[in-house]
Amino acid sequence: MLTQFIHAHILTPNGWMDDSSLLVDDGKIVSITPCNLGIIGADIIDVKGLHLVPGGIELHVHGGGGRDFMEGTREAFEVAVKAHMKHGTTAIFPTLSSSTYPMIEAAAETCTAMMEDPNSPVMGLHLEGPYFSLKMAGAQIPEYIIEPKPEEYIPLFEKYPCIRRVDAAPEVNGVPQLGEYLRSKGIVAAIAHTGAGYKEVQRAHDSGYNHATHFYNAMPGFHKYHEYKHEGTVESVYLIDDFTVEVIADGIHVPPIILQLVHKLKGVERCCLITDALACTASDSKDNFDPRVIIEDGVCKLADRSALAGSIATMDRLIRTCVHIAEIPLEDAIRMASETPAKVMGIYDRKGSLELGKDADMMIMDKALNLRGVWSMGNLVEGTYTL
């Protein structure tokens, strides 16, 4: 099926193309041109000068639409994925908080089955834990936090190649050895829920960890211990140049000024936008998957208000927050939501930018950055077209 988008303001890897057209055939981008003449036999969509940009790639998301990926069922996955697709996410790595091995296996079975569909937006499973520091557990379930043991994790990862990313705390026993194994399997290794200083972060980096989970959250910055000052995990990640980071860009987990700082110091090429969204995101339900969590001030918190617990943000909100509140250029915000995540997760050969031969994963956004349409593999996401 041919679909032609005409009179569009298109973001390509080489910059913006004004008043241009993009042609999709069988889910792939086959032409991007300044010519707006209609193609015979194509379904024509007049973008009317609005932004046509790559769809968002969600690296870190726990659920949506009232369902959590920890449930492990096909129904829960489908409901949560659809909820985020309606807000501009066109590729997604479902995330499990620290879980038991049986819970991970159930989710991995579902993830594997969904990935068998070549048109599925599900790209792989992300394990946020369970190899964390109890002191930095935050909203993680403490009872599920453990140390990594090769006799337990090697069979798991060998059986489920759908697991594409694992987060761990550098100071935990066995984490460097885990990193070496993950690197050998091509699995993205990230540091998270940690109190590590520079030496521990550098050791983790040397063993294969190259990404920092929800940067600034559940990790210390510059601090004093008695009379002496110490660097935190934050400064350590800044200092190691090729560490990539992800930020919860809801304007609350990371204040706008800090979003500006991360953008300035790490740059577009090493910074990803994430929602870290919980099940209550994009849902009319007032019930939470996790009874320990409350929704207050536009964010999820532990009920005792001791920590933030995840967001209720969606991909379109991340972009608007970066541009309208943190004053980050639109082109950079889009790239941090699409191109950089695709490169971090090794799917840039088919996702993350509008280029010939790539999957037709796209958003139309108006001048106020409201969504006016979402397409995944060239297919319109139901309920999103408002041109």
Side-chain angles (χ1 to χ4, degrees), residues 189-245:
I191 63 170
H193 290 271
T194 174
Y198 179 76
K199 290 182 179 179
E200 292 164 319
V201 173
Q202 181 65 66
R203 183 186 178 196
H205 176 263
D206 291 343
S207 64
Y209 294 84
N210 291 301
H211 188 70
T213 300
H214 45 49
F215 194 43
Y216 275 93
N217 293 110
M219 62 181 64
F222 180 77
H223 58 281
K224 282 183 65 177
Y225 182 72
H226 295 304
E227 69 271 36
Y228 297 109
K229 300 175 181 66
H230 300 270
E231 82 290 346
T233 311
V234 169
E235 291 78 21
S236 303
V237 169
Y238 274 132
L239 193 58
I240 301 172
D241 289 339
D242 63 348
F243 244 106
T244 54
V245 303

Tab-separated table of all heavy atoms in Angstrom, residues 189-245:
chain	number	residue	atom	x	y	z
A	189	ALA	N	24.176	-2.759	28.898
A	189	ALA	CA	24.333	-2.780	30.355
A	189	ALA	C	24.319	-1.344	30.866
A	189	ALA	O	25.053	-0.484	30.360
A	189	ALA	CB	25.638	-3.469	30.740
A	190	ALA	N	23.490	-1.087	31.882
A	190	ALA	CA	23.335	0.267	32.416
A	190	ALA	C	23.510	0.252	33.924
A	190	ALA	O	23.263	-0.764	34.586
A	190	ALA	CB	21.963	0.820	32.053
A	191	ILE	N	23.928	1.395	34.472
A	191	ILE	CA	24.049	1.518	35.922
A	191	ILE	C	22.813	2.238	36.463
A	191	ILE	O	22.289	3.150	35.832
A	191	ILE	CB	25.340	2.236	36.342
A	191	ILE	CG1	25.383	3.684	35.837
A	191	ILE	CG2	26.562	1.480	35.838
A	191	ILE	CD1	26.518	4.503	36.419
A	192	ALA	N	22.360	1.800	37.640
A	192	ALA	CA	21.124	2.351	38.188
A	192	ALA	C	21.011	2.036	39.665
A	192	ALA	O	21.659	1.116	40.163
A	192	ALA	CB	19.924	1.774	37.450
A	193	HIS	N	20.183	2.814	40.352
A	193	HIS	CA	19.888	2.601	41.770
A	193	HIS	C	21.179	2.298	42.524
A	193	HIS	O	21.346	1.232	43.125
A	193	HIS	CB	18.846	1.488	41.931
A	193	HIS	CG	17.494	1.908	41.448
A	193	HIS	ND1	16.568	2.519	42.262
A	193	HIS	CD2	16.916	1.839	40.216
A	193	HIS	CE1	15.482	2.796	41.563
A	193	HIS	NE2	15.675	2.393	40.308
A	194	THR	N	22.056	3.283	42.487
A	194	THR	CA	23.417	3.092	42.943
A	194	THR	C	23.909	4.282	43.749
A	194	THR	O	23.472	5.416	43.547
A	194	THR	CB	24.343	2.878	41.720
A	194	THR	OG1	25.696	2.841	42.163
A	194	THR	CG2	24.209	4.005	40.699
A	195	GLY	N	24.854	4.003	44.627
A	195	GLY	CA	25.542	5.067	45.352
A	195	GLY	C	26.999	5.162	44.944
A	195	GLY	O	27.822	5.717	45.670
A	196	ALA	N	27.337	4.635	43.776
A	196	ALA	CA	28.730	4.493	43.347
A	196	ALA	C	29.429	5.829	43.143
A	196	ALA	O	28.857	6.796	42.647
A	196	ALA	CB	28.791	3.686	42.052
A	197	GLY	N	30.728	5.841	43.513
A	197	GLY	CA	31.614	6.954	43.205
A	197	GLY	C	32.387	6.674	41.932
A	197	GLY	O	32.149	5.670	41.243
A	198	TYR	N	33.368	7.533	41.637
A	198	TYR	CA	34.042	7.453	40.344
A	198	TYR	C	34.746	6.117	40.114
A	198	TYR	O	34.629	5.525	39.030
A	198	TYR	CB	35.054	8.595	40.204
A	198	TYR	CG	35.799	8.533	38.893
A	198	TYR	CD1	35.186	8.922	37.708
A	198	TYR	CD2	37.103	8.042	38.830
A	198	TYR	CE1	35.843	8.835	36.503
A	198	TYR	CE2	37.778	7.960	37.624
A	198	TYR	CZ	37.144	8.355	36.468
A	198	TYR	OH	37.803	8.268	35.269
A	199	LYS	N	35.468	5.620	41.101
A	199	LYS	CA	36.216	4.381	40.894
A	199	LYS	C	35.294	3.216	40.562
A	199	LYS	O	35.598	2.385	39.699
A	199	LYS	CB	37.065	4.060	42.136
A	199	LYS	CG	38.244	5.012	42.328
A	199	LYS	CD	39.074	4.608	43.542
A	199	LYS	CE	40.270	5.543	43.714
A	199	LYS	NZ	41.091	5.178	44.908
A	200	GLU	N	34.154	3.165	41.246
A	200	GLU	CA	33.206	2.080	40.988
A	200	GLU	C	32.540	2.243	39.626
A	200	GLU	O	32.327	1.263	38.898
A	200	GLU	CB	32.155	2.044	42.095
A	200	GLU	CG	32.719	1.613	43.441
A	200	GLU	CD	31.805	1.946	44.597
A	200	GLU	OE1	31.220	3.053	44.592
A	200	GLU	OE2	31.677	1.119	45.511
A	201	VAL	N	32.227	3.487	39.270
A	201	VAL	CA	31.615	3.731	37.958
A	201	VAL	C	32.614	3.417	36.844
A	201	VAL	O	32.261	2.812	35.829
A	201	VAL	CB	31.103	5.181	37.858
A	201	VAL	CG1	30.626	5.494	36.435
A	201	VAL	CG2	29.971	5.426	38.850
A	202	GLN	N	33.875	3.810	37.045
A	202	GLN	CA	34.897	3.522	36.035
A	202	GLN	C	35.096	2.014	35.895
A	202	GLN	O	35.220	1.502	34.768
A	202	GLN	CB	36.213	4.187	36.420
A	202	GLN	CG	37.342	3.959	35.418
A	202	GLN	CD	37.077	4.600	34.075
A	202	GLN	OE1	37.016	5.819	33.952
A	202	GLN	NE2	36.910	3.786	33.031
A	203	ARG	N	35.097	1.314	37.009
A	203	ARG	CA	35.242	-0.148	36.941
A	203	ARG	C	34.066	-0.762	36.188
A	203	ARG	O	34.240	-1.688	35.378
A	203	ARG	CB	35.327	-0.729	38.356
A	203	ARG	CG	35.541	-2.242	38.370
A	203	ARG	CD	35.475	-2.795	39.788
A	203	ARG	NE	35.628	-4.249	39.803
A	203	ARG	CZ	35.318	-5.028	40.824
A	203	ARG	NH1	34.840	-4.487	41.944
A	203	ARG	NH2	35.482	-6.328	40.762
A	204	ALA	N	32.861	-0.258	36.458
A	204	ALA	CA	31.683	-0.759	35.751
A	204	ALA	C	31.796	-0.480	34.260
A	204	ALA	O	31.515	-1.347	33.424
A	204	ALA	CB	30.415	-0.118	36.319
A	205	HIS	N	32.253	0.716	33.927
A	205	HIS	CA	32.424	1.079	32.514
A	205	HIS	C	33.419	0.146	31.842
A	205	HIS	O	33.197	-0.338	30.724
A	205	HIS	CB	32.873	2.528	32.403
A	205	HIS	CG	33.164	2.977	31.016
A	205	HIS	ND1	34.442	2.999	30.491
A	205	HIS	CD2	32.353	3.391	30.018
A	205	HIS	CE1	34.397	3.426	29.247
A	205	HIS	NE2	33.152	3.669	28.932
A	206	ASP	N	34.513	-0.130	32.521
A	206	ASP	CA	35.538	-1.023	31.955
A	206	ASP	C	34.996	-2.435	31.725
A	206	ASP	O	35.486	-3.150	30.844
A	206	ASP	CB	36.751	-1.092	32.885
A	206	ASP	CG	37.526	0.222	32.937
A	206	ASP	OD1	37.330	1.067	32.039
A	206	ASP	OD2	38.298	0.408	33.898
A	207	SER	N	33.989	-2.825	32.510
A	207	SER	CA	33.454	-4.183	32.390
A	207	SER	C	32.237	-4.262	31.473
A	207	SER	O	31.665	-5.348	31.312
A	207	SER	CB	33.106	-4.743	33.774
A	207	SER	OG	32.076	-4.006	34.386
A	208	GLY	N	31.834	-3.114	30.885
A	208	GLY	CA	30.778	-3.187	29.883
A	208	GLY	C	29.578	-2.282	30.065
A	208	GLY	O	28.690	-2.259	29.207
A	209	TYR	N	29.524	-1.524	31.152
A	209	TYR	CA	28.376	-0.645	31.390
A	209	TYR	C	28.626	0.706	30.724
A	209	TYR	O	29.603	1.389	31.037
A	209	TYR	CB	28.144	-0.461	32.891
A	209	TYR	CG	27.736	-1.744	33.578
A	209	TYR	CD1	28.700	-2.664	34.008
A	209	TYR	CD2	26.397	-2.047	33.776
A	209	TYR	CE1	28.333	-3.854	34.612
A	209	TYR	CE2	26.025	-3.242	34.392
A	209	TYR	CZ	27.001	-4.134	34.809
A	209	TYR	OH	26.647	-5.319	35.407
A	210	ASN	N	27.717	1.095	29.823
A	210	ASN	CA	27.922	2.320	29.045
A	210	ASN	C	26.733	3.264	29.077
A	210	ASN	O	26.692	4.239	28.315
A	210	ASN	CB	28.228	1.961	27.582
A	210	ASN	CG	29.573	1.300	27.423
A	210	ASN	OD1	30.596	1.869	27.777
A	210	ASN	ND2	29.580	0.075	26.909
A	211	HIS	N	25.759	2.988	29.935
A	211	HIS	CA	24.536	3.788	29.943
A	211	HIS	C	24.112	4.024	31.387
A	211	HIS	O	24.326	3.162	32.258
A	211	HIS	CB	23.433	3.044	29.175
A	211	HIS	CG	22.193	3.847	28.960
A	211	HIS	ND1	22.136	4.925	28.110
A	211	HIS	CD2	20.936	3.704	29.473
A	211	HIS	CE1	20.913	5.415	28.104
A	211	HIS	NE2	20.167	4.707	28.930
A	212	ALA	N	23.530	5.197	31.661
A	212	ALA	CA	23.061	5.536	33.004
A	212	ALA	C	21.542	5.654	33.000
A	212	ALA	O	20.975	6.449	32.248
A	212	ALA	CB	23.695	6.834	33.492
A	213	THR	N	20.909	4.857	33.836
A	213	THR	CA	19.450	4.796	33.920
A	213	THR	C	18.886	6.003	34.653
A	213	THR	O	19.446	6.441	35.654
A	213	THR	CB	19.034	3.500	34.649
A	213	THR	OG1	19.525	2.386	33.913
A	213	THR	CG2	17.527	3.404	34.804
A	214	HIS	N	17.754	6.510	34.164
A	214	HIS	CA	17.096	7.727	34.689
A	214	HIS	C	18.109	8.614	35.439
A	214	HIS	O	18.073	8.761	36.657
A	214	HIS	CB	15.857	7.428	35.526
A	214	HIS	CG	15.919	6.349	36.536
A	214	HIS	ND1	16.929	6.219	37.465
A	214	HIS	CD2	15.049	5.339	36.804
A	214	HIS	CE1	16.684	5.190	38.243
A	214	HIS	NE2	15.552	4.637	37.863
A	215	PHE	N	18.991	9.187	34.647
A	215	PHE	CA	20.098	10.015	35.138
A	215	PHE	C	19.597	11.049	36.138
A	215	PHE	O	18.573	11.687	35.938
A	215	PHE	CB	20.756	10.698	33.945
A	215	PHE	CG	22.090	11.314	34.207
A	215	PHE	CD1	23.053	10.674	34.960
A	215	PHE	CD2	22.408	12.552	33.648
A	215	PHE	CE1	24.296	11.238	35.176
A	215	PHE	CE2	23.648	13.134	33.850
A	215	PHE	CZ	24.597	12.477	34.619
A	216	TYR	N	20.338	11.206	37.231
A	216	TYR	CA	20.060	12.081	38.369
A	216	TYR	C	19.096	11.442	39.369
A	216	TYR	O	19.049	11.873	40.524
A	216	TYR	CB	19.502	13.452	37.946
A	216	TYR	CG	20.572	14.454	37.588
A	216	TYR	CD1	20.980	14.600	36.276
A	216	TYR	CD2	21.171	15.249	38.552
A	216	TYR	CE1	21.959	15.517	35.920
A	216	TYR	CE2	22.155	16.179	38.219
A	216	TYR	CZ	22.551	16.300	36.899
A	216	TYR	OH	23.519	17.208	36.561
A	217	ASN	N	18.308	10.447	38.953
A	217	ASN	CA	17.375	9.807	39.878
A	217	ASN	C	17.958	8.503	40.402
A	217	ASN	O	18.517	7.715	39.641
A	217	ASN	CB	16.035	9.546	39.191
A	217	ASN	CG	15.309	10.842	38.852
A	217	ASN	OD1	15.190	11.215	37.696
A	217	ASN	ND2	14.837	11.533	39.874
A	218	ALA	N	17.807	8.280	41.712
A	218	ALA	CA	18.330	7.085	42.390
A	218	ALA	C	19.840	6.960	42.247
A	218	ALA	O	20.378	5.860	42.118
A	218	ALA	CB	17.632	5.817	41.892
A	219	MET	N	20.518	8.100	42.269
A	219	MET	CA	21.984	8.125	42.276
A	219	MET	C	22.425	9.457	42.883
A	219	MET	O	21.779	10.482	42.696
A	219	MET	CB	22.554	7.954	40.869
A	219	MET	CG	22.174	9.031	39.888
A	219	MET	SD	22.851	8.757	38.216
A	219	MET	CE	22.021	7.253	37.728
A	220	PRO	N	23.535	9.473	43.645
A	220	PRO	CA	23.966	10.711	44.288
A	220	PRO	C	24.778	11.597	43.360
A	220	PRO	O	25.420	11.133	42.407
A	220	PRO	CB	24.851	10.207	45.439
A	220	PRO	CG	25.441	8.948	44.902
A	220	PRO	CD	24.368	8.319	44.045
A	221	GLY	N	24.733	12.887	43.670
A	221	GLY	CA	25.636	13.838	43.051
A	221	GLY	C	26.693	14.250	44.062
A	221	GLY	O	26.909	13.578	45.077
A	222	PHE	N	27.331	15.347	43.791
A	222	PHE	CA	28.367	15.891	44.673
A	222	PHE	C	27.839	16.021	46.100
A	222	PHE	O	26.742	16.529	46.320
A	222	PHE	CB	28.784	17.253	44.126
A	222	PHE	CG	29.840	17.950	44.923
A	222	PHE	CD1	31.169	17.564	44.820
A	222	PHE	CD2	29.516	19.001	45.770
A	222	PHE	CE1	32.152	18.217	45.542
A	222	PHE	CE2	30.494	19.657	46.492
A	222	PHE	CZ	31.819	19.265	46.378
A	223	HIS	N	28.610	15.516	47.096
A	223	HIS	CA	28.113	15.512	48.461
A	223	HIS	C	29.267	15.549	49.463
A	223	HIS	O	30.427	15.325	49.110
A	223	HIS	CB	27.264	14.257	48.705
A	223	HIS	CG	28.012	12.970	48.468
A	223	HIS	ND1	28.238	12.467	47.207
A	223	HIS	CD2	28.600	12.083	49.331
A	223	HIS	CE1	28.911	11.336	47.287
A	223	HIS	NE2	29.158	11.076	48.569
A	224	LYS	N	28.938	15.823	50.713
A	224	LYS	CA	29.917	15.811	51.804
A	224	LYS	C	29.694	14.580	52.667
A	224	LYS	O	28.569	14.161	52.895
A	224	LYS	CB	29.774	17.057	52.674
A	224	LYS	CG	30.382	18.317	52.081
A	224	LYS	CD	30.249	19.486	53.046
A	224	LYS	CE	31.061	19.262	54.316
A	224	LYS	NZ	31.019	20.405	55.249
A	225	TYR	N	30.799	14.006	53.131
A	225	TYR	CA	30.750	12.967	54.158
A	225	TYR	C	31.678	13.416	55.270
A	225	TYR	O	32.892	13.499	55.067
A	225	TYR	CB	31.172	11.605	53.595
A	225	TYR	CG	31.095	10.496	54.611
A	225	TYR	CD1	29.857	10.015	55.038
A	225	TYR	CD2	32.260	9.950	55.161
A	225	TYR	CE1	29.782	9.001	55.982
A	225	TYR	CE2	32.182	8.936	56.107
A	225	TYR	CZ	30.943	8.464	56.515
A	225	TYR	OH	30.870	7.468	57.462
A	226	HIS	N	31.098	13.752	56.424
A	226	HIS	CA	31.825	14.450	57.484
A	226	HIS	C	32.390	15.750	56.903
A	226	HIS	O	31.660	16.517	56.297
A	226	HIS	CB	32.909	13.549	58.088
A	226	HIS	CG	32.332	12.349	58.786
A	226	HIS	ND1	31.406	12.434	59.794
A	226	HIS	CD2	32.579	11.015	58.614
A	226	HIS	CE1	31.081	11.234	60.219
A	226	HIS	NE2	31.773	10.345	59.522
A	227	GLU	N	33.690	15.949	57.028
A	227	GLU	CA	34.239	17.233	56.567
A	227	GLU	C	34.736	17.198	55.127
A	227	GLU	O	35.163	18.227	54.589
A	227	GLU	CB	35.386	17.685	57.497
A	227	GLU	CG	36.654	16.829	57.418
A	227	GLU	CD	36.662	15.653	58.369
A	227	GLU	OE1	35.574	15.058	58.580
A	227	GLU	OE2	37.733	15.319	58.882
A	228	TYR	N	34.683	16.024	54.481
A	228	TYR	CA	35.266	15.896	53.143
A	228	TYR	C	34.196	15.834	52.060
A	228	TYR	O	33.106	15.292	52.257
A	228	TYR	CB	36.155	14.648	53.068
A	228	TYR	CG	37.336	14.721	53.997
A	228	TYR	CD1	37.392	13.904	55.133
A	228	TYR	CD2	38.376	15.613	53.758
A	228	TYR	CE1	38.478	13.977	56.008
A	228	TYR	CE2	39.459	15.682	54.621
A	228	TYR	CZ	39.504	14.877	55.744
A	228	TYR	OH	40.567	14.948	56.606
A	229	LYS	N	34.552	16.357	50.915
A	229	LYS	CA	33.645	16.385	49.768
A	229	LYS	C	33.971	15.228	48.820
A	229	LYS	O	35.125	14.853	48.660
A	229	LYS	CB	33.764	17.721	49.038
A	229	LYS	CG	33.426	18.925	49.911
A	229	LYS	CD	33.672	20.233	49.174
A	229	LYS	CE	33.346	21.422	50.073
A	229	LYS	NZ	34.274	21.510	51.234
A	230	HIS	N	32.925	14.686	48.185
A	230	HIS	CA	33.084	13.533	47.305
A	230	HIS	C	32.266	13.713	46.037
A	230	HIS	O	31.180	14.297	46.060
A	230	HIS	CB	32.633	12.250	48.016
A	230	HIS	CG	33.397	11.938	49.255
A	230	HIS	ND1	34.530	11.165	49.256
A	230	HIS	CD2	33.193	12.319	50.546
A	230	HIS	CE1	35.001	11.063	50.495
A	230	HIS	NE2	34.206	11.758	51.298
A	231	GLU	N	32.794	13.174	44.951
A	231	GLU	CA	32.005	13.131	43.715
A	231	GLU	C	30.902	12.086	43.867
A	231	GLU	O	31.012	11.158	44.663
A	231	GLU	CB	32.892	12.771	42.521
A	231	GLU	CG	33.178	11.286	42.323
A	231	GLU	CD	34.082	10.654	43.370
A	231	GLU	OE1	34.725	11.412	44.133
A	231	GLU	OE2	34.161	9.412	43.415
A	232	GLY	N	29.845	12.265	43.106
A	232	GLY	CA	28.778	11.275	43.095
A	232	GLY	C	28.755	10.499	41.791
A	232	GLY	O	29.612	10.682	40.918
A	233	THR	N	27.748	9.655	41.655
A	233	THR	CA	27.567	8.921	40.406
A	233	THR	C	27.364	9.888	39.247
A	233	THR	O	27.868	9.670	38.139
A	233	THR	CB	26.350	7.979	40.519
A	233	THR	OG1	26.438	7.219	41.724
A	233	THR	CG2	26.275	7.053	39.324
A	234	VAL	N	26.625	10.954	39.492
A	234	VAL	CA	26.327	11.924	38.437
A	234	VAL	C	27.596	12.488	37.829
A	234	VAL	O	27.783	12.464	36.600
A	234	VAL	CB	25.435	13.057	38.989
A	234	VAL	CG1	25.343	14.208	37.983
A	234	VAL	CG2	24.051	12.535	39.341
A	235	GLU	N	28.494	13.010	38.668
A	235	GLU	CA	29.732	13.591	38.147
A	235	GLU	C	30.596	12.544	37.452
A	235	GLU	O	31.272	12.833	36.456
A	235	GLU	CB	30.527	14.257	39.277
A	235	GLU	CG	29.882	15.512	39.845
A	235	GLU	CD	28.739	15.218	40.800
A	235	GLU	OE1	28.671	14.087	41.345
A	235	GLU	OE2	27.906	16.116	41.006
A	236	SER	N	30.560	11.337	37.968
A	236	SER	CA	31.346	10.258	37.367
A	236	SER	C	30.868	9.952	35.951
A	236	SER	O	31.667	9.751	35.029
A	236	SER	CB	31.249	8.999	38.236
A	236	SER	OG	31.674	9.264	39.558
A	237	VAL	N	29.563	9.935	35.759
A	237	VAL	CA	28.998	9.680	34.428
A	237	VAL	C	29.329	10.827	33.480
A	237	VAL	O	29.636	10.597	32.302
A	237	VAL	CB	27.478	9.447	34.530
A	237	VAL	CG1	26.830	9.444	33.143
A	237	VAL	CG2	27.190	8.135	35.252
A	238	TYR	N	29.274	12.043	33.964
A	238	TYR	CA	29.661	13.189	33.127
A	238	TYR	C	31.124	13.069	32.691
A	238	TYR	O	31.477	13.369	31.555
A	238	TYR	CB	29.481	14.495	33.893
A	238	TYR	CG	28.099	15.095	33.824
A	238	TYR	CD1	27.457	15.532	34.987
A	238	TYR	CD2	27.433	15.253	32.610
A	238	TYR	CE1	26.192	16.111	34.940
A	238	TYR	CE2	26.172	15.825	32.554
A	238	TYR	CZ	25.552	16.247	33.727
A	238	TYR	OH	24.310	16.820	33.680
A	239	LEU	N	31.970	12.638	33.614
A	239	LEU	CA	33.407	12.624	33.356
A	239	LEU	C	33.807	11.566	32.332
A	239	LEU	O	34.773	11.750	31.579
A	239	LEU	CB	34.167	12.400	34.668
A	239	LEU	CG	35.676	12.642	34.664
A	239	LEU	CD1	35.995	14.067	34.240
A	239	LEU	CD2	36.242	12.369	36.047
A	240	ILE	N	33.084	10.459	32.288
A	240	ILE	CA	33.392	9.387	31.327
A	240	ILE	C	32.643	9.688	30.040
A	240	ILE	O	31.423	9.523	29.948
A	240	ILE	CB	33.013	8.010	31.910
A	240	ILE	CG1	33.786	7.765	33.216
A	240	ILE	CG2	33.314	6.910	30.902
A	240	ILE	CD1	33.351	6.530	33.974
A	241	ASP	N	33.365	10.128	29.034
A	241	ASP	CA	32.761	10.729	27.849
A	241	ASP	C	31.739	9.854	27.143
A	241	ASP	O	30.678	10.330	26.727
A	241	ASP	CB	33.847	11.128	26.838
A	241	ASP	CG	34.668	12.314	27.312
A	241	ASP	OD1	34.174	13.057	28.185
A	241	ASP	OD2	35.799	12.495	26.816
A	242	ASP	N	32.032	8.560	26.976
A	242	ASP	CA	31.142	7.756	26.140
A	242	ASP	C	29.990	7.111	26.900
A	242	ASP	O	29.248	6.299	26.348
A	242	ASP	CB	31.920	6.706	25.344
A	242	ASP	CG	32.619	5.684	26.221
A	242	ASP	OD1	32.700	5.916	27.440
A	242	ASP	OD2	33.091	4.674	25.681
A	243	PHE	N	29.799	7.492	28.165
A	243	PHE	CA	28.594	7.087	28.877
A	243	PHE	C	27.404	7.815	28.267
A	243	PHE	O	27.394	9.039	28.183
A	243	PHE	CB	28.679	7.460	30.362
A	243	PHE	CG	28.681	6.270	31.281
A	243	PHE	CD1	29.846	5.868	31.913
A	243	PHE	CD2	27.518	5.560	31.530
A	243	PHE	CE1	29.867	4.783	32.770
A	243	PHE	CE2	27.526	4.472	32.385
A	243	PHE	CZ	28.705	4.072	33.008
A	244	THR	N	26.390	7.064	27.841
A	244	THR	CA	25.139	7.680	27.434
A	244	THR	C	24.214	7.738	28.644
A	244	THR	O	24.382	7.004	29.620
A	244	THR	CB	24.468	6.892	26.298
A	244	THR	OG1	24.322	5.518	26.694
A	244	THR	CG2	25.303	6.972	25.023
A	245	VAL	N	23.222	8.622	28.571
A	245	VAL	CA	22.294	8.801	29.686
A	245	VAL	C	20.872	8.852	29.157
A	245	VAL	O	20.635	9.090	27.968
A	245	VAL	CB	22.597	10.084	30.484
A	245	VAL	CG1	24.028	10.079	30.997
A	245	VAL	CG2	22.329	11.334	29.650
